[in-house]
Amino acid sequence: MARAKKQAAGDSASSSGANSTNGGNGKSGSNATKAKKQTAIDTLRTVVPSIFQESQKTSANHHKNANLLRKIQEQCAEVAGEEGEEAFNKEFIRNLNVVLAIKKKEASADRVIQFVSSFIIHTRKKDMETEAENEDEEGAEGISSRFVERLMRHLLKGIQVREKQVRIKSCQLIALSTNSLGAMDDDLYTELKESLMERVRDKEAAVRTQAIFALSKLQGDEDDEGDTEDNIVQKLVDLMQHDPSAEVRRSALFNIVQTKATLPSILERARDTDAYNRRGVFTKPMDGLTDFRILSIGDRERLLRYGLSDRDEGVKKACTKMLATKWIQQADDNLLEFMERLDVMSSNVADDVLKAFFDYRADIMGNLSFDEVFWANLTVESAFLVRAYAEFCRAKDDDVQFEKAIPEVTRHAYHIQKYSNIMQEADEEDRPEAEFIVTQLLMIAKLLDYADENGRRKMFNLLREMLMLDDIPDRHLDCIVETMGKISLNEKDFTRIIIEIISDIRAVIDEQEYLRNPEKSDDDEDSPDDQTMDLAGVPRKRKRSIVDKTPSRRSSIAADDAKQNESEIAAVLIKLRCLTITKFMLERSSEPLKEDSYVYGLLNELVIPALGRHEEPMQELGLHCLGLICVLDQNLAQNNMELFLTCIFAENANNQLQLLSLKIVFDLILTFGMTSMSSLITEERIVQDLSKSLESTSSAMQAIAAEGISKLMLTKSLKNAEILRRLIILYFDPESANNNHLRQCLNYFLQVYFHSSYDNQVILSEIFVPIMIQLVQMHLEAKSEMPSPTIMAQQLLEWCDPRRVLGADQEATAKSIDFGLQANIAIELTKAMFSESKDVRKNLPFILHKIRLDGDAGEIRLKKLTLLIGNLKAKRPFTEAMSKKYLLLVEKGILKMFEDAPEALDDAELNKLAELTEEISFVDTFEMPEESSESEAVIAIPAPKVAKVAKTPKSSKAGKASLSHKGKEAKSRSSYMTRAKARGSTDPKLAKLMEEVEAILESSDSEQEKDDDNDDGNDNDNDNDNDNYDEDEEEDEDEDEDD
């Protein structure tokens, strides 16, 4: 019993000891875990900074460092759980803040940003791999998401700070982090969207660029597509269209989603002002289209036209690469299929597309095959393709490939005849395609070699027969006439052949007229008794008087109108065809009319009668042919110049006839010269009509007039300052902003005209002030539609800079150039400040400050300016602070350029004084305009004439001292005049000059004394006002000097 109790006690003790041991082991393990956790957290302070330190040295170790940092992140999460993750996130953000705080752009900081991006991508990738392996387990798949979310909330604070670089880097990292975020809380999404929406309106373009990149990641996550205010896509479209920064527009262009709603806006960027943006349209958005048929045919046409006609070679290459690689692949590498998708029949860019394609894909040139089967089954696309290929081979002088593709002349004539017959038999629906195919074949015929006589005769007979067809299109006529010109022996033979064909065609009309009315010939039909005068003396059929329109008479007229049958309509169409053939023939004629007498008969029998017809197409063709004939004969041009000038402004002429007449006038002047064309009518009349055309309400006439006058001035056929002034005003006129033809023409002409000749700049310097005054007045009425007066003045001054004249750097040319020409403008502009209205003159000092005034202006012109500015400040000072400031800046700049004049006056100085006589007379005879404000009238009290002091002050203070010391001035002037008279006693010419100057000065003094006598009662008040004015001037000057 005792043994049992002892054993039980032992067992109890043993059990107690065991429990005691287990308790000790548990406590020891808990301490070890805490120590390990603390160790992992403590090591972050040393390991993470070292990794950031390594990552800023080179980007080559980013992957290795990202992998190492990921292991540290996993270790913290495994050992310390959420506490470890939070510690890692804090340490990571602490090191990142060091980089974000760098104010300057540095390569090392950029490499750290790249490393952070690499780490985010790497940690997200690891989580995705873990998630794929353990689909049913919850493990480390949330580490990256929680880390990115924590990082993003921190960065959202960074995009609100004042430092530009912090905002840029924060937006950049947000964009990189968004893809790795996964699911996002509603609160975080809303906060992120609102913050980025605010940053796209940031004042810094770089911040807006990164904000757009980040905002674009949220495009697919929008729930409310109808909210136009907060819609992300709409915001990106707005930025892409209207942001002033090209980089911001490019960022929006590259990151906006492509939908049917956004594609039109993307296509607009093909006309962006920045060449990189235009090129970007073809390298990314359009290049990435899965099928370009998503674009309408009009959009395809417009896009390719913009790209292939761009002035930047990089844009052209990008467009060519897009269509020659991507788009052709989408058409299964089939050129005919590709042509069908471009709709070549109505396309204006298909020719350029194929030319660019052949240039880029020279490897396929030898693979194209045009066999007999191909020619026997021509379609619209295949005919267009072979014609474009033939023209490309001729342009490249590749006769081998041309002969392989195109058959000989006889065989080609057979193909033309075959498809021409098909065209004649085709119904109304299929005829346009048949006409297009024949047109392509006729265009190929112009490229053939007609050395083979049999082939030449076969082609000649065929073309002659085609010209006799009733319903042949004008496009066919053009090709046929050009081909016949190539077939003919010379130009005289060509003219004879065409006139014979026209006579044969007109014989059909004569036969029809005779059968219809054998008692009346064509001559009686257009007799003078039945004609009136139209379009400045052109015969026209007389209209019946209203007194003849009795009921019986009206019924007979109606019966006559009803009897007009198809033969009369056919006769009109035949005449139109004859005139069209004549026009095409004359366009290819260059021999003088005296050496080609065949045309005289054509002129009298066909062209002149057409001008008297009432049909507008007949009048236009007749006038066009008459103009082409006049180009071939000077006497004929002189006799008809009055007709063309009158037609420009004829009230009963349509717009097309007026435009055609204006073009003819310019062609005749360019061909024969202004002197020759003004032999029967005065040159003043011609210039007056040309100037009047610039004021037309028709934008087309304005553009044609500006283009024609520009050509006349560039060729020195016309030199008129008034017309030049109107061209410059028209260039800045807001009403011509939408007239692209006019603006582009003037933009080229004005630069070339003024930079090509110094004499042209002299003309501009003489009309500069009237132009600027008119532009300032226009700007006051339309401030939002015009540039500021200062900007417009800078443009005019750039045109009037003698240093930009062609050859100005060459010694021979430089001798005849006055490089101080702009000083003349400054003098005239300062004179205008005396008399112009307050609203106009307050803008003139800003313009005066932009004028180049240096040593090339010469001492005399600079002294003229100081004389005028001094009197301007005394007689009509500015009340606006900025105007006064800029006028003072100009004056100070001038006074620094020369020293005081010597006390004794030698002959050279007397000559200088004579040159100042005009300015002295100007300021002496100046009277205050009645429209001046009261404040100006109070300040501009009679003041001493400082401009008459021969000695030039060194500074503005010296000038002001002379303003307030009339006695010293009079004494100094008297001393100078006495010495000058002593010299003049031996020099009669000098004495006469001094008498004239002294007379001007004495008359000025007498007027001043009279004014002083009239104002004796107000002397004290005037003195006080003058003192106050001087003190104000000194205070303003001190403030300007401090600035």
Side-chain angles (χ1 to χ4, degrees), residues 3-67:
R3 187 179 296 174
K5 290 182 178 180
K6 187 176 181 181
Q7 181 68 31
D11 292 341
S12 176
S14 176
S15 175
S16 177
N19 291 336
S20 177
T21 304
N22 290 337
N25 291 338
K27 185 175 182 180
S28 175
S30 176
N31 293 333
T33 301
K34 290 182 179 179
K36 188 175 182 180
K37 182 191 300 185
Q38 188 63 35
T39 302
I41 294 175
D42 292 340
T43 56
L44 291 175
R45 288 281 183 173
T46 57
V47 177
V48 175
S50 64
I51 293 176
F52 271 81
Q53 188 71 21
E54 290 294 325
S55 65
Q56 70 177 345
K57 296 179 180 178
T58 175
S59 58
N61 59 12
H62 283 182
H63 181 72
K64 180 187 72 174
N65 289 327
N67 192 25

Side-chain angles (χ1 to χ4, degrees), residues 326-393:
K326 299 294 182 179
W327 283 21
I328 192 65
Q329 290 178 2
Q330 297 172 16
D332 298 328
D333 292 324
N334 188 331
L335 270 176
L336 295 179
E337 175 68 20
F338 182 69
M339 289 290 101
E340 287 181 5
R341 298 184 183 184
L342 291 182
D343 190 17
V344 296
M345 284 188 61
S346 58
S347 175
N348 295 323
V349 76
D351 277 322
D352 296 331
V353 168
L354 281 183
K355 180 181 178 181
F357 181 85
F358 292 142
D359 271 331
Y360 192 85
R361 296 290 299 275
D363 55 302
I364 70 167
M365 294 289 290
N367 299 330
L368 294 177
S369 176
F370 305 101
D371 52 16
E372 192 62 31
V373 178
F374 174 86
W375 289 100
N377 300 279
L378 287 177
T379 62
V380 169
E381 289 76 20
S382 59
F384 184 86
L385 175 62
V386 69
R387 193 268 305 165
Y389 181 77
E391 290 182 348
F392 181 80
C393 292

Side-chain angles (χ1 to χ4, degrees), residues 6 69 410 489 524 689 701 739 745 755 761 808 962:
K6 187 176 181 181
L69 195 60
T410 304
L489 300 177
D524 294 334
D689 286 350
M701 178 168 287
N739 195 340
C745 173
H755 292 166
Q761 291 188 341
S962 63

Side-chain angles (χ1 to χ4, degrees), residues 772-800:
M772 276 312 308
I773 292 175
Q774 186 173 352
L775 290 176
V776 171
Q777 293 171 347
M778 293 169 60
H779 182 265
L780 293 174
E781 299 175 358
K783 292 184 178 180
S784 61
E785 300 176 2
M786 293 181 66
S788 66
T790 306
I791 294 178
M792 293 186 287
Q794 285 180 300
Q795 179 65 79
L796 291 175
L797 291 172
E798 191 271 338
W799 291 336
C800 196

Side-chain angles (χ1 to χ4, degrees), residues 661-688:
S661 302
L662 184 60
K663 292 179 181 178
I664 293 173
V665 169
F666 285 124
D667 288 341
L668 295 180
I669 297 175
L670 287 170
T671 303
F672 301 111
M674 181 66 76
T675 304
S676 300
M677 289 298 98
S678 58
S679 59
L680 299 180
I681 55 177
T682 62
E683 181 177 345
E684 182 181 356
R685 160 74 188 284
I686 298 176
V687 173
Q688 182 181 358

Side-chain angles (χ1 to χ4, degrees), residues 732-922:
F732 292 105
D733 192 347
E735 295 183 359
S736 66
N738 296 325
N739 195 340
N740 294 329
H741 184 184
L742 173 69
R743 284 292 181 96
Q744 188 173 10
C745 173
L746 292 179
N747 185 42
Y748 173 80
F749 159 71
L750 292 173
Q751 294 188 53
V752 174
Y753 183 73
F754 292 122
H755 292 166
S756 61
S757 172
Y758 168 73
D759 295 336
N760 299 336
Q761 291 188 341
V762 173
I763 298 176
L764 177 59
S765 68
E766 295 172 353
I767 61 177
F768 180 94
V769 175
I771 289 174
M772 276 312 308
I773 292 175
Q774 186 173 352
L775 290 176
V776 171
Q777 293 171 347
M778 293 169 60
H779 182 265
L780 293 174
E781 299 175 358
K783 292 184 178 180
S784 61
E785 300 176 2
M786 293 181 66
S788 66
T790 306
I791 294 178
M792 293 186 287
Q794 285 180 300
Q795 179 65 79
L796 291 175
L797 291 172
E798 191 271 338
W799 291 336
C800 196
D801 187 358
R803 293 161 183 79
R804 293 182 174 270
V805 175
L806 184 65
D809 54 344
Q810 300 177 3
E811 184 177 355
T813 308
K815 292 181 179 179
S816 59
I817 295 178
D818 178 12
F819 289 99
L821 178 64
Q822 292 192 5
N824 297 337
I825 299 176
I827 293 172
E828 297 301 320
L829 191 65
T830 308
K831 290 182 180 179
M833 296 181 194
F834 283 86
S835 56
E836 291 299 325
S837 63
K838 180 179 180 181
D839 291 336
V840 173
R841 69 191 296 266
K842 70 180 181 181
N843 294 280
L844 301 185
F846 302 97
I847 300 173
L848 183 64
H849 184 258
K850 297 295 181 181
I851 296 177
R852 185 187 183 96
L853 296 173
D854 52 15
D856 292 329
E859 185 178 357
I860 291 298
R861 284 186 290 203
L862 294 177
K863 287 188 176 182
K864 286 182 180 181
L865 273 174
T866 56
L867 185 150
L868 292 171
I869 293 175
N871 281 272
L872 176 65
K873 292 167 63 178
K875 291 192 171 185
R876 198 182 179 192
F878 288 95
T879 58
E880 298 82 9
M882 294 302 296
S883 300
K884 292 167 61 177
K885 175 182 177 181
Y886 277 90
L887 187 65
L888 183 62
L889 290 175
V890 173
E891 186 179 27
K892 287 182 178 180
I894 296 174
L895 293 175
K896 291 179 181 178
M897 297 182 191
F898 55 93
E899 299 295 337
D900 289 344
E903 294 185 0
L905 291 175
D906 54 15
D907 295 343
E909 290 169 339
L910 285 173
N911 290 332
K912 293 179 182 180
L913 184 60
E915 295 183 25
L916 293 174
T917 303
E918 180 182 355
E919 279 64 32
I920 295 173
S921 176
F922 173 81

